[in-house]
Amino acid sequence: MQTLTVMPPSTRLMLITVDTDRVIELRRLVARACGNRLLFMRMQPIEHATRMQVWLRVTEPGVQRIVDAVTRSLPSAQLGRVVAP
């Protein structure tokens, strides 16, 4: 009898930079776009706290959903590299 191994979904690390006054909107957007695909979110202020860098770890199906939602709703956000950890 052959057993099947279930592979965990691949995860990606994303970097998004937004103005500090848009961080809450970004958090809501990410939660709606990928829900339980979001594994963690880390924020760090930059440029004298006028901008925030936001790192997201998401499972693969959530990456494109976040990219689509952010480019549609937060056009001033800067999407960084998406990398496999």
PDB file of all heavy atoms in Angstrom, residues 8-36:
ATOM      1  N   PRO A   8       3.150  20.687   3.252  1.00  0.00           N
ATOM      2  CA  PRO A   8       2.556  21.922   3.743  1.00  0.00           C
ATOM      3  C   PRO A   8       2.617  22.989   2.653  1.00  0.00           C
ATOM      4  O   PRO A   8       3.521  22.953   1.811  1.00  0.00           O
ATOM      5  CB  PRO A   8       3.438  22.302   4.933  1.00  0.00           C
ATOM      6  CG  PRO A   8       4.721  21.612   4.680  1.00  0.00           C
ATOM      7  CD  PRO A   8       4.403  20.372   3.899  1.00  0.00           C
ATOM      8  N   PRO A   9       1.665  23.906   2.654  1.00  0.00           N
ATOM      9  CA  PRO A   9       1.708  24.945   1.620  1.00  0.00           C
ATOM     10  C   PRO A   9       2.967  25.795   1.771  1.00  0.00           C
ATOM     11  O   PRO A   9       3.446  26.019   2.886  1.00  0.00           O
ATOM     12  CB  PRO A   9       0.457  25.775   1.883  1.00  0.00           C
ATOM     13  CG  PRO A   9       0.000  25.413   3.252  1.00  0.00           C
ATOM     14  CD  PRO A   9       0.573  24.072   3.578  1.00  0.00           C
ATOM     15  N   SER A  10       3.509  26.216   0.652  1.00  0.00           N
ATOM     16  CA  SER A  10       4.722  27.021   0.715  1.00  0.00           C
ATOM     17  C   SER A  10       4.396  28.414   1.257  1.00  0.00           C
ATOM     18  O   SER A  10       3.315  28.935   1.058  1.00  0.00           O
ATOM     19  CB  SER A  10       5.363  27.125  -0.669  1.00  0.00           C
ATOM     20  OG  SER A  10       4.465  27.707  -1.579  1.00  0.00           O
ATOM     21  N   THR A  11       5.348  28.991   1.968  1.00  0.00           N
ATOM     22  CA  THR A  11       5.146  30.320   2.531  1.00  0.00           C
ATOM     23  C   THR A  11       6.070  31.309   1.850  1.00  0.00           C
ATOM     24  O   THR A  11       7.111  30.935   1.310  1.00  0.00           O
ATOM     25  CB  THR A  11       5.398  30.354   4.053  1.00  0.00           C
ATOM     26  OG1 THR A  11       6.756  30.022   4.308  1.00  0.00           O
ATOM     27  CG2 THR A  11       4.468  29.412   4.780  1.00  0.00           C
ATOM     28  N   ARG A  12       5.677  32.557   1.892  1.00  0.00           N
ATOM     29  CA  ARG A  12       6.464  33.633   1.307  1.00  0.00           C
ATOM     30  C   ARG A  12       6.559  34.777   2.309  1.00  0.00           C
ATOM     31  O   ARG A  12       5.659  34.995   3.107  1.00  0.00           O
ATOM     32  CB  ARG A  12       5.821  34.163   0.024  1.00  0.00           C
ATOM     33  CG  ARG A  12       5.676  33.129  -1.070  1.00  0.00           C
ATOM     34  CD  ARG A  12       7.037  32.778  -1.653  1.00  0.00           C
ATOM     35  NE  ARG A  12       6.921  31.834  -2.746  1.00  0.00           N
ATOM     36  CZ  ARG A  12       7.216  30.556  -2.651  1.00  0.00           C
ATOM     37  NH1 ARG A  12       7.608  30.039  -1.514  1.00  0.00           N
ATOM     38  NH2 ARG A  12       7.128  29.769  -3.693  1.00  0.00           N
ATOM     39  N   LEU A  13       7.661  35.497   2.240  1.00  0.00           N
ATOM     40  CA  LEU A  13       7.859  36.679   3.053  1.00  0.00           C
ATOM     41  C   LEU A  13       7.727  37.880   2.126  1.00  0.00           C
ATOM     42  O   LEU A  13       8.406  37.953   1.100  1.00  0.00           O
ATOM     43  CB  LEU A  13       9.238  36.659   3.708  1.00  0.00           C
ATOM     44  CG  LEU A  13       9.549  37.785   4.672  1.00  0.00           C
ATOM     45  CD1 LEU A  13       8.620  37.747   5.882  1.00  0.00           C
ATOM     46  CD2 LEU A  13      10.994  37.707   5.122  1.00  0.00           C
ATOM     47  N   MET A  14       6.841  38.805   2.486  1.00  0.00           N
ATOM     48  CA  MET A  14       6.580  39.985   1.670  1.00  0.00           C
ATOM     49  C   MET A  14       6.956  41.240   2.451  1.00  0.00           C
ATOM     50  O   MET A  14       6.786  41.275   3.669  1.00  0.00           O
ATOM     51  CB  MET A  14       5.089  40.103   1.334  1.00  0.00           C
ATOM     52  CG  MET A  14       4.486  38.953   0.613  1.00  0.00           C
ATOM     53  SD  MET A  14       2.709  39.211   0.315  1.00  0.00           S
ATOM     54  CE  MET A  14       2.746  40.574  -0.830  1.00  0.00           C
ATOM     55  N   LEU A  15       7.401  42.250   1.762  1.00  0.00           N
ATOM     56  CA  LEU A  15       7.680  43.542   2.369  1.00  0.00           C
ATOM     57  C   LEU A  15       6.825  44.592   1.681  1.00  0.00           C
ATOM     58  O   LEU A  15       6.817  44.686   0.448  1.00  0.00           O
ATOM     59  CB  LEU A  15       9.163  43.915   2.224  1.00  0.00           C
ATOM     60  CG  LEU A  15       9.548  45.314   2.671  1.00  0.00           C
ATOM     61  CD1 LEU A  15       9.280  45.516   4.164  1.00  0.00           C
ATOM     62  CD2 LEU A  15      10.987  45.601   2.335  1.00  0.00           C
ATOM     63  N   ILE A  16       6.105  45.360   2.475  1.00  0.00           N
ATOM     64  CA  ILE A  16       5.280  46.454   1.971  1.00  0.00           C
ATOM     65  C   ILE A  16       5.613  47.693   2.795  1.00  0.00           C
ATOM     66  O   ILE A  16       5.693  47.620   4.019  1.00  0.00           O
ATOM     67  CB  ILE A  16       3.779  46.130   2.080  1.00  0.00           C
ATOM     68  CG1 ILE A  16       3.452  44.845   1.329  1.00  0.00           C
ATOM     69  CG2 ILE A  16       2.938  47.296   1.575  1.00  0.00           C
ATOM     70  CD1 ILE A  16       2.029  44.356   1.526  1.00  0.00           C
ATOM     71  N   THR A  17       5.802  48.822   2.130  1.00  0.00           N
ATOM     72  CA  THR A  17       6.058  50.086   2.814  1.00  0.00           C
ATOM     73  C   THR A  17       4.884  51.024   2.563  1.00  0.00           C
ATOM     74  O   THR A  17       4.485  51.218   1.404  1.00  0.00           O
ATOM     75  CB  THR A  17       7.369  50.732   2.320  1.00  0.00           C
ATOM     76  OG1 THR A  17       8.433  49.784   2.483  1.00  0.00           O
ATOM     77  CG2 THR A  17       7.691  51.982   3.101  1.00  0.00           C
ATOM     78  N   VAL A  18       4.328  51.570   3.655  1.00  0.00           N
ATOM     79  CA  VAL A  18       3.176  52.466   3.546  1.00  0.00           C
ATOM     80  C   VAL A  18       3.379  53.674   4.451  1.00  0.00           C
ATOM     81  O   VAL A  18       4.176  53.642   5.383  1.00  0.00           O
ATOM     82  CB  VAL A  18       1.850  51.773   3.942  1.00  0.00           C
ATOM     83  CG1 VAL A  18       1.505  50.661   2.993  1.00  0.00           C
ATOM     84  CG2 VAL A  18       1.892  51.264   5.362  1.00  0.00           C
ATOM     85  N   ASP A  19       2.622  54.729   4.188  1.00  0.00           N
ATOM     86  CA  ASP A  19       2.602  55.877   5.086  1.00  0.00           C
ATOM     87  C   ASP A  19       1.988  55.432   6.409  1.00  0.00           C
ATOM     88  O   ASP A  19       1.094  54.573   6.436  1.00  0.00           O
ATOM     89  CB  ASP A  19       1.765  57.012   4.495  1.00  0.00           C
ATOM     90  CG  ASP A  19       2.392  57.604   3.245  1.00  0.00           C
ATOM     91  OD1 ASP A  19       3.629  57.570   3.121  1.00  0.00           O
ATOM     92  OD2 ASP A  19       1.633  58.102   2.391  1.00  0.00           O
ATOM     93  N   THR A  20       2.459  56.010   7.510  1.00  0.00           N
ATOM     94  CA  THR A  20       1.976  55.575   8.824  1.00  0.00           C
ATOM     95  C   THR A  20       0.476  55.752   8.982  1.00  0.00           C
ATOM     96  O   THR A  20      -0.164  54.960   9.678  1.00  0.00           O
ATOM     97  CB  THR A  20       2.688  56.325   9.966  1.00  0.00           C
ATOM     98  OG1 THR A  20       2.566  57.720   9.755  1.00  0.00           O
ATOM     99  CG2 THR A  20       4.143  55.940  10.044  1.00  0.00           C
ATOM    100  N   ASP A  21      -0.105  56.743   8.325  1.00  0.00           N
ATOM    101  CA  ASP A  21      -1.545  56.948   8.460  1.00  0.00           C
ATOM    102  C   ASP A  21      -2.370  55.938   7.669  1.00  0.00           C
ATOM    103  O   ASP A  21      -3.597  55.941   7.744  1.00  0.00           O
ATOM    104  CB  ASP A  21      -1.937  58.376   8.075  1.00  0.00           C
ATOM    105  CG  ASP A  21      -1.594  58.731   6.643  1.00  0.00           C
ATOM    106  OD1 ASP A  21      -0.813  58.002   6.008  1.00  0.00           O
ATOM    107  OD2 ASP A  21      -2.119  59.761   6.174  1.00  0.00           O
ATOM    108  N   ARG A  22      -1.721  55.029   6.951  1.00  0.00           N
ATOM    109  CA  ARG A  22      -2.425  53.991   6.176  1.00  0.00           C
ATOM    110  C   ARG A  22      -2.204  52.584   6.734  1.00  0.00           C
ATOM    111  O   ARG A  22      -2.683  51.613   6.165  1.00  0.00           O
ATOM    112  CB  ARG A  22      -1.955  54.011   4.717  1.00  0.00           C
ATOM    113  CG  ARG A  22      -2.087  55.336   3.993  1.00  0.00           C
ATOM    114  CD  ARG A  22      -3.477  55.938   3.996  1.00  0.00           C
ATOM    115  NE  ARG A  22      -4.453  55.238   3.229  1.00  0.00           N
ATOM    116  CZ  ARG A  22      -4.810  55.531   1.981  1.00  0.00           C
ATOM    117  NH1 ARG A  22      -4.238  56.519   1.356  1.00  0.00           N
ATOM    118  NH2 ARG A  22      -5.740  54.829   1.377  1.00  0.00           N
ATOM    119  N   VAL A  23      -1.499  52.465   7.856  1.00  0.00           N
ATOM    120  CA  VAL A  23      -1.161  51.149   8.402  1.00  0.00           C
ATOM    121  C   VAL A  23      -2.409  50.362   8.814  1.00  0.00           C
ATOM    122  O   VAL A  23      -2.518  49.172   8.516  1.00  0.00           O
ATOM    123  CB  VAL A  23      -0.182  51.277   9.584  1.00  0.00           C
ATOM    124  CG1 VAL A  23      -0.024  49.967  10.321  1.00  0.00           C
ATOM    125  CG2 VAL A  23       1.163  51.740   9.087  1.00  0.00           C
ATOM    126  N   ILE A  24      -3.331  51.000   9.485  1.00  0.00           N
ATOM    127  CA  ILE A  24      -4.540  50.281   9.912  1.00  0.00           C
ATOM    128  C   ILE A  24      -5.325  49.805   8.697  1.00  0.00           C
ATOM    129  O   ILE A  24      -5.824  48.678   8.671  1.00  0.00           O
ATOM    130  CB  ILE A  24      -5.395  51.156  10.840  1.00  0.00           C
ATOM    131  CG1 ILE A  24      -4.651  51.355  12.154  1.00  0.00           C
ATOM    132  CG2 ILE A  24      -6.772  50.535  11.079  1.00  0.00           C
ATOM    133  CD1 ILE A  24      -5.317  52.303  13.122  1.00  0.00           C
ATOM    134  N   GLU A  25      -5.391  50.642   7.681  1.00  0.00           N
ATOM    135  CA  GLU A  25      -6.076  50.236   6.455  1.00  0.00           C
ATOM    136  C   GLU A  25      -5.381  49.036   5.818  1.00  0.00           C
ATOM    137  O   GLU A  25      -6.026  48.107   5.347  1.00  0.00           O
ATOM    138  CB  GLU A  25      -6.112  51.416   5.480  1.00  0.00           C
ATOM    139  CG  GLU A  25      -6.887  51.145   4.230  1.00  0.00           C
ATOM    140  CD  GLU A  25      -6.952  52.353   3.308  1.00  0.00           C
ATOM    141  OE1 GLU A  25      -6.495  53.449   3.693  1.00  0.00           O
ATOM    142  OE2 GLU A  25      -7.449  52.173   2.193  1.00  0.00           O
ATOM    143  N   LEU A  26      -4.045  49.039   5.827  1.00  0.00           N
ATOM    144  CA  LEU A  26      -3.291  47.904   5.283  1.00  0.00           C
ATOM    145  C   LEU A  26      -3.584  46.634   6.086  1.00  0.00           C
ATOM    146  O   LEU A  26      -3.800  45.574   5.500  1.00  0.00           O
ATOM    147  CB  LEU A  26      -1.792  48.191   5.282  1.00  0.00           C
ATOM    148  CG  LEU A  26      -0.907  47.031   4.824  1.00  0.00           C
ATOM    149  CD1 LEU A  26      -1.152  46.693   3.362  1.00  0.00           C
ATOM    150  CD2 LEU A  26       0.555  47.339   5.076  1.00  0.00           C
ATOM    151  N   ARG A  27      -3.588  46.739   7.407  1.00  0.00           N
ATOM    152  CA  ARG A  27      -3.868  45.558   8.246  1.00  0.00           C
ATOM    153  C   ARG A  27      -5.234  44.967   7.921  1.00  0.00           C
ATOM    154  O   ARG A  27      -5.374  43.749   7.787  1.00  0.00           O
ATOM    155  CB  ARG A  27      -3.795  45.925   9.720  1.00  0.00           C
ATOM    156  CG  ARG A  27      -2.391  46.185  10.200  1.00  0.00           C
ATOM    157  CD  ARG A  27      -2.354  46.521  11.652  1.00  0.00           C
ATOM    158  NE  ARG A  27      -2.765  45.350  12.407  1.00  0.00           N
ATOM    159  CZ  ARG A  27      -3.096  45.359  13.687  1.00  0.00           C
ATOM    160  NH1 ARG A  27      -3.055  46.471  14.369  1.00  0.00           N
ATOM    161  NH2 ARG A  27      -3.444  44.250  14.295  1.00  0.00           N
ATOM    162  N   ARG A  28      -6.229  45.816   7.807  1.00  0.00           N
ATOM    163  CA  ARG A  28      -7.587  45.332   7.473  1.00  0.00           C
ATOM    164  C   ARG A  28      -7.625  44.711   6.091  1.00  0.00           C
ATOM    165  O   ARG A  28      -8.248  43.670   5.879  1.00  0.00           O
ATOM    166  CB  ARG A  28      -8.582  46.485   7.555  1.00  0.00           C
ATOM    167  CG  ARG A  28      -8.849  46.930   8.958  1.00  0.00           C
ATOM    168  CD  ARG A  28      -9.866  48.048   8.978  1.00  0.00           C
ATOM    169  NE  ARG A  28     -10.039  48.533  10.341  1.00  0.00           N
ATOM    170  CZ  ARG A  28     -10.253  49.782  10.662  1.00  0.00           C
ATOM    171  NH1 ARG A  28     -10.358  50.705   9.726  1.00  0.00           N
ATOM    172  NH2 ARG A  28     -10.405  50.128  11.922  1.00  0.00           N
ATOM    173  N   LEU A  29      -6.958  45.341   5.163  1.00  0.00           N
ATOM    174  CA  LEU A  29      -6.909  44.858   3.795  1.00  0.00           C
ATOM    175  C   LEU A  29      -6.274  43.473   3.720  1.00  0.00           C
ATOM    176  O   LEU A  29      -6.795  42.569   3.066  1.00  0.00           O
ATOM    177  CB  LEU A  29      -6.102  45.857   2.966  1.00  0.00           C
ATOM    178  CG  LEU A  29      -6.186  45.830   1.472  1.00  0.00           C
ATOM    179  CD1 LEU A  29      -7.587  46.186   1.021  1.00  0.00           C
ATOM    180  CD2 LEU A  29      -5.199  46.830   0.912  1.00  0.00           C
ATOM    181  N   VAL A  30      -5.155  43.305   4.411  1.00  0.00           N
ATOM    182  CA  VAL A  30      -4.454  42.013   4.425  1.00  0.00           C
ATOM    183  C   VAL A  30      -5.324  40.946   5.082  1.00  0.00           C
ATOM    184  O   VAL A  30      -5.443  39.825   4.576  1.00  0.00           O
ATOM    185  CB  VAL A  30      -3.088  42.136   5.139  1.00  0.00           C
ATOM    186  CG1 VAL A  30      -2.490  40.776   5.426  1.00  0.00           C
ATOM    187  CG2 VAL A  30      -2.140  42.981   4.313  1.00  0.00           C
ATOM    188  N   ALA A  31      -5.964  41.284   6.188  1.00  0.00           N
ATOM    189  CA  ALA A  31      -6.826  40.313   6.878  1.00  0.00           C
ATOM    190  C   ALA A  31      -7.974  39.872   5.977  1.00  0.00           C
ATOM    191  O   ALA A  31      -8.319  38.686   5.929  1.00  0.00           O
ATOM    192  CB  ALA A  31      -7.362  40.916   8.169  1.00  0.00           C
ATOM    193  N   ARG A  32      -8.573  40.804   5.251  1.00  0.00           N
ATOM    194  CA  ARG A  32      -9.669  40.442   4.344  1.00  0.00           C
ATOM    195  C   ARG A  32      -9.165  39.654   3.145  1.00  0.00           C
ATOM    196  O   ARG A  32      -9.833  38.726   2.687  1.00  0.00           O
ATOM    197  CB  ARG A  32     -10.386  41.693   3.850  1.00  0.00           C
ATOM    198  CG  ARG A  32     -11.539  42.090   4.736  1.00  0.00           C
ATOM    199  CD  ARG A  32     -12.282  43.253   4.161  1.00  0.00           C
ATOM    200  NE  ARG A  32     -11.581  44.436   4.689  1.00  0.00           N
ATOM    201  CZ  ARG A  32     -11.441  45.582   4.084  1.00  0.00           C
ATOM    202  NH1 ARG A  32     -11.968  45.783   2.915  1.00  0.00           N
ATOM    203  NH2 ARG A  32     -10.789  46.567   4.640  1.00  0.00           N
ATOM    204  N   ALA A  33      -8.009  40.024   2.631  1.00  0.00           N
ATOM    205  CA  ALA A  33      -7.493  39.406   1.411  1.00  0.00           C
ATOM    206  C   ALA A  33      -7.027  37.974   1.618  1.00  0.00           C
ATOM    207  O   ALA A  33      -7.231  37.128   0.752  1.00  0.00           O
ATOM    208  CB  ALA A  33      -6.349  40.238   0.835  1.00  0.00           C
ATOM    209  N   CYS A  34      -6.398  37.696   2.760  1.00  0.00           N
ATOM    210  CA  CYS A  34      -5.836  36.351   2.902  1.00  0.00           C
ATOM    211  C   CYS A  34      -6.258  35.625   4.172  1.00  0.00           C
ATOM    212  O   CYS A  34      -5.934  34.450   4.308  1.00  0.00           O
ATOM    213  CB  CYS A  34      -4.323  36.384   2.770  1.00  0.00           C
ATOM    214  SG  CYS A  34      -3.482  37.229   4.084  1.00  0.00           S
ATOM    215  N   GLY A  35      -6.935  36.270   5.083  1.00  0.00           N
ATOM    216  CA  GLY A  35      -7.470  35.590   6.257  1.00  0.00           C
ATOM    217  C   GLY A  35      -6.463  34.729   6.982  1.00  0.00           C
ATOM    218  O   GLY A  35      -5.414  35.200   7.401  1.00  0.00           O
ATOM    219  N   ASN A  36      -6.767  33.426   7.103  1.00  0.00           N
ATOM    220  CA  ASN A  36      -5.897  32.532   7.861  1.00  0.00           C
ATOM    221  C   ASN A  36      -4.616  32.140   7.105  1.00  0.00           C
ATOM    222  O   ASN A  36      -3.808  31.393   7.617  1.00  0.00           O
ATOM    223  CB  ASN A  36      -6.656  31.291   8.310  1.00  0.00           C
ATOM    224  CG  ASN A  36      -7.121  30.441   7.159  1.00  0.00           C
ATOM    225  OD1 ASN A  36      -7.008  30.818   5.998  1.00  0.00           O
ATOM    226  ND2 ASN A  36      -7.682  29.294   7.470  1.00  0.00           N
TER     227      ASN A  36
END
